[in-house]
Amino acid sequence: MQSVSGWVWLLTVLGIVGLLLFDFFFHVRRAHIPTLAEAARWTAIYVAIALLFGLGVTIFAGGQSGAEYFAGYVTEEALSVDNLFVFLLLLGSFKVPRADQQKVLLVGIAVSLVARTGFIFLGAALIESFAWVFYIFGLILLVTAGNLLRQEGNEEETPDNIIIRGARRVLRTSDVYDGDKLFTYQNGRRVMTPMLLVMVAIGGTDILFALDSIPAIFGLTQNVYIVFTATAFSLLGLRQLYFLIDGLLDRLVYLSYGLAAILGLIGVKLILHALHENNVPFINDGEPIHAAEISTGLSLTIIVAILLITVVVSLLSPKGRAQTYVAAARRHATEFLDIETDPAYCDEIFHKLVYEESRLKTLPERYRARIRAEDELMDLLHRAHELHARRVADGRCFVPAWAGPPASEAGGN
């Protein structure tokens, strides 16, 4: 499948653009908070489209091309889930209202898709001209794998990078949102809202992720069409996936270890392939080295096995359960205090906060003791309860029948 006709490329690109436009006009144009059922339904639809496309590749181009596509898609989807951690922190950092997060994500994903397409063709051109690029890609993945292991446990840090810092300096914005508008009027002057800045942050951050993901998929296949389609389909369902699993993201405590293993595997695979194509003068006098290579089928099997083990172990881990409850309580308290202004949704958020606090009380004592020792979290929960009490006194909301004191007051028993 190394040669794909122009009309196949055209139909594929039109199909992907059509899916993006459909997503915008039928889901994102009207700001709303997707229900769990809606997110699950559309995530399943986008995954089904990706799998059906892979089945078509297998039928029309053969089993080898099909295996390359599925290996690339699974790897890119796994890396995309890791990206969602950063998206979650970014949206919280910029205090984006929940109803407006869909548009931010979709625009950011569209920008990333365009940029990644450029990276894909650039990478293909480099590989075509310089065989030693495989060494570079392999080393990038091995270094990234090491960084993932070192960064384990630091997920709570606010994400920041050169693109976000540059956008903050260049894009002068107002301090408040005006729905999902990019521009608003403030003191009679037309100014940009933070919405544009957060879209740049999401898109720019995802472009930086491409520096890892593009070498990873080139380690599984050098077919540009497969690289492009696997990357595109992994991004298309990312918005729906975010709303489906954002409550479970913190539960995947060992995901970084799994991704590090996958990137390490592909990095080794790339270097082994580079040895076969070797023409670097100071390595074996520029002659190829016939080392054993890892087949695409074996790579796909190992990648799926690593992901399954990582997810199962994470879900069974008491540490994961504690981290999930704490992160959810912190997120709901922050939304209630600083982000949301809609009274009905604020009421819903407080109900969720009280529920998460009740789950904190079910944790083993050693985890509850650590939670009570987190002064910032305890202060956040107390402020949320105090604000809710004032709103109840003003008649702006009501007390859930099962509400109780904050976790710090009831979690020690």
Side-chain angles (χ1 to χ4, degrees), residues 174-194:
S174 66
D175 295 326
V176 296
Y177 291 90
D178 185 5
D180 59 0
K181 296 178 182 177
L182 300 183
F183 296 89
T184 188
Y185 284 91
Q186 197 172 68
N187 299 324
R189 295 176 56 193
R190 192 167 186 258
V191 296
M192 288 183 291
T193 70

Side-chain angles (χ1 to χ4, degrees), residues 130-315:
F130 309 104
W132 50 262
V133 169
F134 286 112
Y135 287 115
I136 303 298
F137 282 2
L139 289 173
I140 287 173
L141 295 183
L142 291 176
V143 170
T144 302
N147 287 337
L148 280 173
L149 294 178
R150 284 203 301 273
Q151 291 170 3
E152 176 67 21
N154 295 328
E155 292 88 350
E156 293 301 323
E157 295 181 3
T158 301
D160 195 17
N161 56 55
I162 188 171
I163 293 177
I164 296 177
R165 292 193 297 270
R168 285 186 186 276
R169 285 195 293 267
V170 174
L171 301 176
R172 303 294 181 181
T173 65
S174 66
D175 295 326
V176 296
Y177 291 90
D178 185 5
D180 59 0
K181 296 178 182 177
L182 300 183
F183 296 89
T184 188
Y185 284 91
Q186 197 172 68
N187 299 324
R189 295 176 56 193
R190 192 167 186 258
V191 296
M192 288 183 291
T193 70
M195 185 64 67
L196 183 59
L197 180 59
V198 71
M199 285 179 176
V200 172
I202 291 287
T205 301
D206 204 46
I207 289 172
L208 294 181
F209 286 136
L211 300 179
D212 301 330
S213 66
I214 298 304
I217 194 169
F218 269 117
L220 297 166
T221 177
Q222 285 81 60
N223 186 301
V224 179
Y225 183 78
I226 292 178
V227 171
F228 170 74
T229 52
T231 301
F233 283 119
S234 71
L235 288 174
L236 282 175
L238 199 56
R239 177 189 63 81
Q240 295 87 349
L241 189 64
Y242 172 85
F243 286 95
L244 177 63
I245 69 171
D246 69 336
L248 292 176
L249 284 174
D250 300 290
R251 190 71 176 263
L252 302 177
V253 290
Y254 298 116
L255 180 63
S256 291
Y257 294 112
L259 293 178
I262 290 171
L263 292 179
L265 168 71
I266 300 174
V268 171
K269 179 178 169 67
L270 272 168
I271 291 175
L272 290 174
H273 182 75
L275 292 174
H276 271 266
E277 303 288 330
N278 181 60
N279 58 9
V280 179
F282 56 82
I283 298 179
N284 197 38
D285 295 325
E287 295 297 322
I289 301 174
H290 299 292
E293 287 202 74
I294 304 172
S295 69
T296 303
L298 179 59
S299 299
L300 176 59
T301 302
I302 296 174
I303 289 168
V304 171
I306 290 173
L307 288 176
L308 286 175
I309 293 171
T310 299
V311 170
V312 170
V313 172
S314 294
L315 293 177

Side-chain angles (χ1 to χ4, degrees), residues 95-98 328-354 380-392 396-398 400:
K95 299 182 179 180
V96 182
R98 183 74 165 174
R330 179 182 284 110
R331 186 160 59 250
H332 294 324
T334 302
E335 279 187 287
F336 183 75
L337 288 168
D338 299 333
I339 300 177
E340 294 297 339
T341 56
D342 177 55
Y345 188 53
C346 281
D347 223 30
E348 181 181 337
I349 293 171
F350 188 77
H351 292 181
K352 291 179 179 178
L353 173 61
V354 173
L380 192 67
L381 297 179
H382 274 292
R383 287 193 291 118
H385 278 267
E386 289 172 358
L387 176 60
H388 184 263
R390 289 198 298 271
R391 288 177 175 174
V392 169
R396 286 182 288 166
C397 55
F398 61 90

Side-chain angles (χ1 to χ4, degrees), residues 314-334:
S314 294
L315 293 177
L316 294 178
S317 165
K319 175 185 175 183
R321 191 159 58 96
Q323 189 165 304
T324 302
Y325 298 167
V326 169
R330 179 182 284 110
R331 186 160 59 250
H332 294 324
T334 302

Side-chain angles (χ1 to χ4, degrees), residues 370-389:
R370 292 174 192 171
I371 293 168
R372 292 194 298 272
E374 293 187 31
D375 294 335
E376 179 270 334
L377 175 61
M378 291 299 100
D379 177 66
L380 192 67
L381 297 179
H382 274 292
R383 287 193 291 118
H385 278 267
E386 289 172 358
L387 176 60
H388 184 263

